[in-house]
Amino acid sequence: MNLTGAKASPWWTPSVHADRRPFLIGRNAIQAALRSHFARKDFIEVDPATLQVSPGNEAHLHAFATEALTTDGQAAASLYLHTSPEFACKKLLAAGEQRIACFAHVYRNRERGPFHHPEFTMLEWYRAGESYETLMTDCLQVLALAAETVKAPKLIYRGAETDPFAGPERISVADAFERYAGIALLASVAADGSTDREYLACELRRNGMRVSADDGWADLFSRVLVEKIEPHLGFGRVTILDEYPVSEAALARPSARDPRVAERFELYACGVELANGFGELTNAAEQRRRFELEMAEKARVYGERYPLDEDFLDALSIMPEASGIALGFDRLVMLATGASRIDQVLWAPVAEYR
């Protein structure tokens, strides 16, 4: 806290830059090492366009919008800065690419804090014809390589440590709910994926947790995840939180083992979420249904919705089976270099605004 009331020095002040520079040099070294790593594994690096007709269709993600003009200055179309390169990458899989990776600048509005920035870098990679368990192995190699590159024996965040070279903990979301909250989560999920809001609300009240009248099942799920589960993940060793309920599948396909859950996992280290991986859904009709539900929820909560990318849905219908993952590259750099805020690992942070 600045007790003097004086304005903090900007990032380009030489003394501030000198403090940040070791983190930034570490960032460059990690990025170069990962580029070489993926190239050795026969991944093609791609560079998707930032401007898209849809920024993504998750209810609680907020985009930056702009307007495209014709050469004579007439309004032509609304465009958005993408929140992920996912749609474009999957179109490339539909086009015939087998293994692709990208370091993409992505943009999310209404986000700023120690782990969040309006513009940040997402490392995404996709494997056609390969299972999503393969991505888990990829993640462990990525974390170990990042640590090795900057000679860090541990990943560190504010005193918490994770050994990137140790075997991971892999736990299902349902098992994590049982272990840390005493809630039988899948008792609230039917075989068709529908959810029982009242059951979950009763379980939260039993745990002394807040339940509001307008909370849906997804709100309650997220509250338990954030308050009861995530504080236990990724300490000492990496945690792979696997098999999300199918209603929280996003763009992941249902599990062949249990239709109530999806082939989706998230990766945690030092209590920090680093990555989100899928066995990719290739059913265009089901993806459209999910997008429409998400946009209906966005309209209910925020009074706006984003268009669907019809081109993406068309491509999805011919996309091969695949797995794909998005990893927060800046967060990985933070943990490998010991930085405490995301702006310390960004060469030129976005200007402050209120």
Side-chain angles (χ1 to χ4, degrees), residues 73-328:
Q74 301 300 307
S78 294
L79 293 175
Y80 300 85
L81 299 179
H82 63 188
T83 59
S84 162
E86 183 170 8
F87 290 2
C89 285
K90 289 181 179 178
K91 290 174 186 177
L92 287 169
L93 294 178
E97 294 296 338
Q98 296 293 301
R99 291 185 179 182
I100 57 175
C102 63
F103 286 92
H105 279 237
V106 298
Y107 306 83
R108 296 185 181 182
N109 214 339
R110 299 175 63 162
E111 293 192 10
R112 193 151 201 160
F115 287 118
H116 298 88
H117 202 73
E119 178 180 354
F120 61 99
T121 300
M122 196 84 84
L123 167 59
E124 295 201 8
W125 66 95
Y126 294 82
R127 292 174 169 271
E130 298 184 72
S131 74
Y132 86 123
E133 282 88 355
T134 306
L135 301 176
M136 300 178 189
T137 301
D138 287 342
C139 284
L140 300 177
Q141 293 173 350
V142 164
L143 266 60
L145 180 56
E148 288 172 354
T149 300
V150 294
K151 298 179 172 55
K154 299 286 180 67
L155 302 177
I156 299 173
Y157 181 68
R158 293 186 174 177
E161 295 184 352
T162 295
D163 183 347
F165 309 104
E169 171 193 34
R170 182 176 174 182
I171 183 171
S172 71
V173 173
D175 285 346
F177 267 64
E178 184 68 48
R179 179 184 301 178
Y180 299 118
I183 295 175
L185 176 66
L186 293 184
S188 71
V189 182
D192 65 358
S194 60
T195 54
D196 184 343
R197 186 264 184 197
E198 291 310 311
Y199 170 86
L200 195 55
C202 288
E203 290 297 285
L204 265 74
R205 293 189 188 99
R206 183 176 60 80
N207 275 270
M209 299 180 68
R210 174 176 59 85
V211 175
S212 299
D214 61 347
D215 283 335
W217 185 94
D219 299 310
L220 301 174
F221 170 85
S222 295
R223 189 165 301 140
V224 177
L225 186 66
V226 170
E227 295 181 13
K228 298 290 187 179
I229 312 301
E230 289 185 336
H232 299 280
L233 305 181
F235 295 98
R237 58 178 176 154
V238 169
T239 297
I240 296 169
L241 186 65
D242 190 18
E243 295 189 336
Y244 275 66
V246 73
S247 61
E248 298 294 311
L251 287 84
R253 63 184 171 225
S255 169
R257 185 188 63 80
D258 184 343
R260 297 175 298 172
V261 300
E263 291 187 356
R264 175 187 176 188
F265 74 90
E266 292 196 342
L267 181 79
Y268 289 83
C270 302
V272 178
E273 179 207 336
L274 287 178
N276 188 15
F278 301 151
E280 301 292 356
L281 179 68
T282 55
N283 182 324
E286 170 60 15
Q287 190 64 77
R288 179 184 297 276
R289 185 190 72 83
R290 293 184 191 178
F291 282 166
E292 288 174 345
L293 287 174
E294 286 289 305
M295 291 302 91
E297 177 67 2
K298 189 174 192 67
R300 181 186 74 84
V301 177
Y302 304 108
E304 65 173 340
R305 64 174 71 222
Y306 299 139
L308 305 190
D309 184 343
E310 295 292 343
D311 199 39
F312 166 68
L313 291 170
D314 287 345
L316 200 64
S317 66
I318 65 167
M319 190 183 109
E321 288 195 1
S323 59
I325 189 163
L327 182 145

